[in-house]
Amino acid sequence: MNIILLGPPGAGKGTQASKLVADRGMVQLSTGDMLRAAVKAGTPTGQQAKAVMESGGLVSDEIVSALIGEKLDALDTATGVIFDGYPRTAAQATALDELLVSRGRTLDYVIELEVDEAALIERVTGRYTCANCGEGYHDRFKQPKVAGVCDVCGSTEFKRRPDDNAETVHTRMAEYRAKTAPILPIYEARGLVRPIDGMADIDHVSAAIDGILDG
Ligand code: AMP
């Protein structure tokens, strides 16, 4: 099973991908995570991507498609993949088709997380993660049970993404509208799109995804 999770920043792609990894043994390929790792490691790719990511713009199609290709090469064809945050442009969608075909994979579904943009700003600007285990939290919607202590691993260190500020989020939304939303019709024409309500709570969204994958 190979699926794309598609939706604007804050739609819940990463959260749902993590659940699919835990529940189904699929592998999450998040270009955002790969790029953040490259920035942290100071690789040439990271050095090129850093400023673009901080501005909320899109990193070049060549860079992100190469990252995805490398990760796919390291995986067994039988392992299911969740594409999270990729593709984000028509050129990336074309590149992904080629990457999949050449590795004997087919795309099963494009799960579109439909969300209310106004609510997303609050979702994104309030989110943070445990610096140790990566568990996600939110200033308003999901605080740790004991203030300042991660529910999962007990760490007291948390972090926020530098691009999760109001100004950058507006740019990221605009990029989504201008460059990413237009790829939906490509997949609709192929009968692959399954829209779901991304404003529902996490467990409902997850149940809706399960319904699609098991249906
Ligand atoms: P994300 O974690 O998916 O929100 O991505 C964070 C940032 O990384 C984006 O705002 C872009 O600057 C960059 N990025 C992630 N994935 C892609 C992609 N598929 N194409 C271009 N830029 C990307």
Side-chain angles (χ1 to χ4, degrees):
M1 182 85 74
N2 299 287
I3 65 170
I4 295 172
L5 292 182
L6 202 76
K13 302 184 295 290
T15 302
Q16 294 301 329
S18 300
K19 281 179 92 71
L20 290 169
V21 169
D23 296 349
R24 295 176 182 257
M26 296 176 80
V27 169
Q28 172 186 11
L29 296 188
S30 156
T31 41
D33 286 348
M34 293 172 205
L35 291 167
R36 278 184 288 279
V39 170
K40 198 171 171 197
T43 65
T45 296
Q47 286 170 17
Q48 257 181 285
K50 188 169 188 286
V52 180
M53 292 173 76
E54 279 169 3
S55 73
L58 293 185
V59 174
S60 82
D61 293 329
E62 291 72 22
I63 287 181
V64 292
S65 294
L67 288 172
I68 289 284
E70 280 166 27
K71 294 283 177 182
L72 283 177
D73 284 339
L75 290 176
D76 198 280
T77 312
T79 306
V81 172
I82 310 147
F83 295 97
D84 161 11
Y86 178 92
R88 260 177 158 97
T89 64
Q92 290 177 27
T94 305
L96 177 59
D97 282 340
E98 286 161 13
L99 289 171
L100 290 174
V101 168
S102 61
R103 287 160 181 81
R105 290 177 178 270
T106 45
L107 189 58
D108 295 281
Y109 298 110
V110 176
I111 297 181
E112 180 196 4
L113 294 160
E114 294 185 310
V115 282
D116 161 26
E117 250 197 52
L120 290 187
I121 306 283
E122 188 182 24
R123 269 199 192 180
V124 174
T125 54
R127 69 185 181 182
Y128 60 99
T129 54
C130 170
N132 179 49
C133 74
E135 180 69 3
Y137 294 97
H138 194 280
D139 293 328
R140 264 194 69 189
F141 309 128
K142 188 190 163 196
Q143 292 174 9
K145 292 190 181 79
V146 177
V149 183
C150 176
D151 296 345
V152 175
C153 74
S155 166
T156 54
E157 301 287 323
F158 296 88
K159 62 180 183 186
R160 286 175 195 265
R161 281 173 46 174
D163 59 346
D164 277 350
N165 61 76
E167 194 191 335
T168 310
V169 170
H170 282 291
T171 308
R172 289 160 62 200
M173 300 281 179
E175 289 285 64
Y176 180 82
R177 273 195 304 270
K179 297 175 185 160
T180 309
I183 68 180
L184 270 165
I186 301 172
Y187 292 124
E188 269 158 5
R190 285 154 59 179
L192 294 176
V193 178
R194 299 290 182 279
I196 58 173
D197 175 14
M199 296 314 292
D201 66 47
I202 291 174
D203 290 338
H204 279 94
V205 175
S206 163
I209 294 176
D210 283 338
I212 293 164
L213 302 193
D214 296 332

